[in-house]
Every structure is written in C-alpha cells, then in structure tokens.
Amino acid sequence: MKEIILCKYGEIALKGTNRGHFENLLKRELQRRVSPFGRYKIYYIQSTVYIEPLEEDCDIAGAYEAAKNTFGVSAVSRAIEAPKDMDKILDIIKTSFMPYLDGARTFKVESKRSDKSFPYQSPEISAEAGGAILDASGGRLKVDVHHPDVCVRVEIRDLAAYICAGQERAVGGMPIGSNGKGLLLLSGGIDSPVAGYMMAKRGVSVEAMHFESFPYTSERAKQKVLSLAQKLAAYAGEIKVHVISVTKIQEELRDHCDEDYFTLLLRRFMMRLSERTAEKFYCDALITGESIGQVASQTMKAILTTDAVVSRPVFRPVIGMDKEDIVQIARKIDTFETSILPYEDCCTVFTPAHPRTQPELSKVEAEEARIDVKALEDEAFATLETIVVRP
Ligand code: ATP
Ligand code: MG
C-alpha cells in the first residue's frame, strides 16, 4: 500500500501567468518543512501538490502536520494510491482503507474522474466504493449523503487512482517569499509575534528588529525575544534578528526631555533606527504589533507622530483587533506562554506616569530639539548586531 499526501492550494490557483513562480516557492517551502520526516518527492498535477514518500519508513503523520501548517496550502488529505482498475480499487478499500474510517459512524463517497478513459463514470465509482465500504464495515457504518462524519473521495487521475478519507483545512495564506520582505519590530510582548505571523502568512519574508536597553533590560529579556523569533521561524523559516541598544538614547531623554513625551520620543527613535536597518537589509516595509487605543503610544495622534519620521509603509496587521483575539492567535502559534514571561522591556524602563495620548507634532519636535538626534541615532545604529534564528 502506498500512502501519499495531497495538498490543495488556495489563492495561488487564481494567479495567472505568475502561477509557476508561486508554485515553485510553495514547493520549496514544503520540501523544507517535510524534510525532517523523511525523503519525499513533491510535484504538481492539476492544481494539487503531491507529497510522495520515497522511503518505507517516512513519518507520513509528521509530514502531514507540517504540510497542513505551510503557508499557501489551503487543504490537506492523506490518500492511498491505487492502480486504475476498479477491482483493485475495491480490494484496497476493503483491505487497507478501512482504518481511515475508525471513529466514524456515517460516510458518503464522492468521486471524480479526470482521466476520462477510465471505463466507469463518477456516480458508478461512488456506488461501487460505497458498497465496498458498507460490506467491509459489517454494519458499523451507514451512508449519510447530507451530514456524513467522513466524506470519502475516490479520484481517478492521470497517474493513478487515489482514495482519501476527507480533507482537512490547512493554514492557508500565500507561500513565504511571494510578497517581499518586511522588518518586524519584535518586542517581548504578545502582539508583535502575532503581527509577524500574520504578515508571514500573507507570504511576506520576515526579519526582526529588537531594541534592548542593557543593563536596564537583562540578557534573559533578549533570550526571550530570540525564543519568540524561533517560534515564529517554525512558520516563517529562518529569521535574522537585528538587535540595537537604545540605552544611551533613553538616558539622554530622561536627562533632557519632558517625561510625558518620553515613550513617544523613544518610539520615534525606534522607527528611525528600524528604517535604517530595513534599508541595510533590503526590507521594504516595517511591521509592528500596534493595536489602536491599546496604550498611550497607540492612539491615532501618537501613531501620526511616530510615522512622521519614516518613509517606508508601516504595516500593523493587528491594528483593529481586540487583545483577546490577538491572544487567541498567540496561543495557536505557541508564542503566548513565552510572551507572558515577566522580563522587563526597554519600553517599561523610565515609563512616564502620565504619557501623552494626544501629542502635537510641534511639541514633540520641540522636545527633540533639546538633544542631538542624529548623533544619538548614529551611535545606537553602530551597536547593531544580527543573530540568525533557525526553526
Ligand atoms: P507587544 O505586546 O508586541 O510587546 P506592547 O503591548 O508592548 O506590544 P508597545 O510597547 O506600545 O506595545 O509596542 C508596540 C509595538 O512596538 C510592538 O508591538 C512592537 O512592534 C514595537 N516594539 C515595542 N517595543 C519594542 C522593542 N523593545 N523592540 C522592538 N520593537 C518594539
Ligand atoms: Mg501591544
């Protein structure tokens, strides 16, 4: 018996002449993700990706889970390959396929014959296969054409016939690398890893930017950010994490500027430094985990003053989401437990008691005139170090 994995892809199917490019990206990504589970051949036929094991001891269940979580795949199923011969198909259903229906009480069969030279039409194939399943189940299973527990599919394709028990929804999105590269401002919090995940899901390659404030923030805090990046890398692939120290900037702000503007001024430095990093590493957009109104620095006016210092687009995929909804995704992608570890972040060092929620740009600029912005920025940028995090 030969088992294979079939993947359907979503939006790629709508791409016109570029489709080959998207398919290649998806194939490369699938290859990377299933490789820990054995050697597989991956190919496309008729808008379906076939993942075929090349060795006896491949871990098909592992590869199936990996494929299900690969951006660009919209549905997955495990299938048994059969010769294009009705008797043999029925035989395989009775002998090898029945364990796929364990736990089900009702089923229906849907068939598709893309190889029109096969001498049975789809309704006949379904009827025969359904009869074989009923016989083999010894009365345990019943047919329910409206709400079956499992929908069995028999597909007669060019290469062979395939028998699968249902298909599962996969993660969806677009293949990594198909939509440019963005620089994710990654704090140790809940929101930014989720923001990175959402952009990666749309096919954006992600690099990360983290600001530390050593010795006010600890080595543990930095390690936490690196573990978050690693969790993200499970979906997005290898991530370069760029780290810049903003300690000196924070001390200057503390010593010379109005405390109420402190966070905002720091955020403007973060944006400028991110843009420089983005330029150096060819990232065309910045990505943050801001959600409108969540804290003082995320009001519309505050965002207006921080965006004023950069020219790249700033993507904020969680801008319209409630915390609860963000947490739900954080749990799903397994970053939540790490995010809530109680280590300090540079934003929590010297936090003002009364941060401005409705800052005026002119006042912010006047505060900045008290310090040497360019020199501080250059000095901070010189501390940039890059750590590569692999899944
Ligand atoms: P998060 O939950 O992601 O940590 P937050 O609730 O801490 O966000 P803010 O501190 O206002 O909110 O930060 C808003 C966004 O700014 C973050 O989602 C992140 O994109 C970016 N950011 C904040 N602090 C840092 C940092 N130390 N390094 C890099 N980016 C940061
Ligand atoms: Mg937040």
Side-chain angles (χ1 to χ4, degrees):
M1 171 184 108
K2 183 160 161 201
E3 205 184 2
I4 71 167
I5 299 166
L6 304 180
C7 307
K8 295 254 183 277
Y9 47 67
E11 279 178 53
I12 302 178
L14 306 174
K15 301 288 168 203
T17 46
N18 282 336
R19 181 160 150 179
H21 170 65
F22 288 96
E23 286 179 343
N24 283 337
L25 287 171
L26 180 58
K27 188 170 153 183
R28 194 182 66 187
E29 188 60 10
L30 278 168
Q31 194 61 262
R32 180 182 78 75
R33 297 193 53 123
V34 301
S35 63
F37 305 101
R39 283 203 318 122
Y40 295 86
K41 183 171 152 195
I42 299 182
Y43 50 93
Y44 286 92
I45 300 171
Q46 296 161 336
S47 297
T48 301
V49 192
Y50 290 66
I51 305 179
E52 184 183 327
L54 295 174
E55 291 161 341
E56 276 295 308
D57 57 354
C58 278
D59 174 2
I60 299 261
Y64 177 84
E65 281 306 311
K68 196 169 118 184
N69 284 313
T70 301
F71 295 140
V73 176
S74 65
V76 277
S77 46
R78 285 170 76 163
I80 294 181
E81 191 179 295
K84 288 197 282 185
D85 173 313
M86 187 62 118
D87 287 338
K88 294 209 170 98
I89 291 173
L90 298 179
D91 207 40
I92 285 177
I93 287 179
K94 288 179 191 160
T95 53
S96 316
F97 182 70
M98 292 309 286
Y100 281 61
L101 301 177
D102 281 352
R105 280 170 298 123
T106 58
F107 76 100
K108 76 168 175 180
V109 182
E110 278 179 0
S111 301
K112 195 168 139 192
R113 185 185 59 141
S114 42
D115 172 7
K116 301 294 180 204
S117 70
F118 190 72
Y120 296 83
Q121 296 195 349
S122 301
E124 294 173 277
I125 303 169
S126 298
E128 292 279 343
I133 292 171
L134 285 174
D135 280 353
S137 83
R140 181 175 68 84
L141 287 164
K142 292 196 167 38
V143 173
D144 180 345
V145 290
H146 300 296
H147 303 288
D149 293 339
V150 178
C151 176
V152 174
R153 282 183 304 129
V154 180
E155 297 192 15
I156 313 293
R157 299 197 172 207
D158 291 345
L159 286 184
Y162 299 93
I163 311 155
C164 13
Q167 64 177 14
E168 259 191 294
R169 227 180 123 165
V171 67
M174 310 265 295
I176 285 286
S178 61
N179 277 323
K181 189 162 73 167
L183 182 66
L184 168 69
L185 279 72
L186 184 62
S187 64
I190 296 168
D191 308 323
S192 43
V194 171
Y197 169 83
M198 287 174 74
M199 294 308 292
K201 185 174 170 188
R202 291 301 302 164
V204 175
S205 297
V206 173
E207 296 197 6
M209 171 88 255
H210 178 66
F211 297 100
E212 64 170 4
S213 187
F214 194 79
Y216 302 106
T217 60
S218 64
E219 183 59 29
R220 289 186 311 181
K222 182 161 142 195
Q223 285 307 323
K224 170 181 166 180
V225 169
L226 294 178
S227 12
L228 285 173
Q230 192 172 31
K231 299 214 175 240
L232 201 54
Y235 294 93
E238 180 182 294
I239 295 181
K240 282 193 188 122
V241 183
H242 309 289
V243 182
I244 285 180
S245 167
V246 289
T247 309
K248 180 75 189 297
I249 294 173
Q250 290 187 287
E251 288 171 346
E252 283 288 297
L253 293 175
R254 177 194 61 192
D255 295 344
H256 303 287
C257 301
D258 181 345
E259 184 192 304
D260 294 357
Y261 286 84
F262 184 84
T263 310
L264 217 55
L265 295 169
L266 177 62
R267 293 197 64 78
R268 277 163 64 95
F269 272 103
M270 286 186 179
M271 297 305 268
R272 291 188 190 99
L273 289 163
S274 298
E275 181 140 85
R276 272 175 81 162
T277 308
E279 188 168 359
K280 181 166 175 178
F281 292 92
Y282 308 103
C283 300
D284 287 334
L286 305 180
I287 303 163
T288 80
E290 287 161 302
S291 160
I292 194 81
Q294 191 187 74
V295 289
S297 62
Q298 295 173 25
T299 62
M300 200 152 317
K301 276 266 195 284
I303 288 174
L304 193 69
T305 60
T306 49
D307 275 12
V309 295
V310 291
S311 58
R312 278 174 174 62
V314 183
F315 295 139
R316 301 178 167 91
V318 305
I319 194 75
M321 288 172 71
D322 293 351
K323 193 78 185 186
E324 234 172 281
D325 301 329
I326 301 173
V327 165
Q328 206 178 349
I329 300 179
R331 286 190 194 280
K332 188 178 86 180
I333 64 172
D334 192 33
T335 52
F336 182 73
E337 295 299 329
T338 307
S339 288
I340 58 174
L341 293 172
Y343 307 142
E344 61 301 307
D345 177 77
C346 74
C347 287
T348 55
V349 181
F350 316 133
T351 313
H354 307 287
R356 288 296 156 132
T357 56
Q358 304 297 324
E360 286 307 327
L361 191 54
S362 55
K363 170 70 176 153
V364 172
E365 285 169 351
E367 286 303 313
E368 263 172 10
R370 298 165 184 268
I371 51 177
D372 188 343
V373 171
K374 184 74 178 74
L376 282 168
E377 193 191 309
D378 288 347
E379 200 180 324
F381 195 64
T383 68
L384 182 118
E385 62 161 336
T386 298
I387 300 154
V388 178
V389 175
R390 300 198 167 81

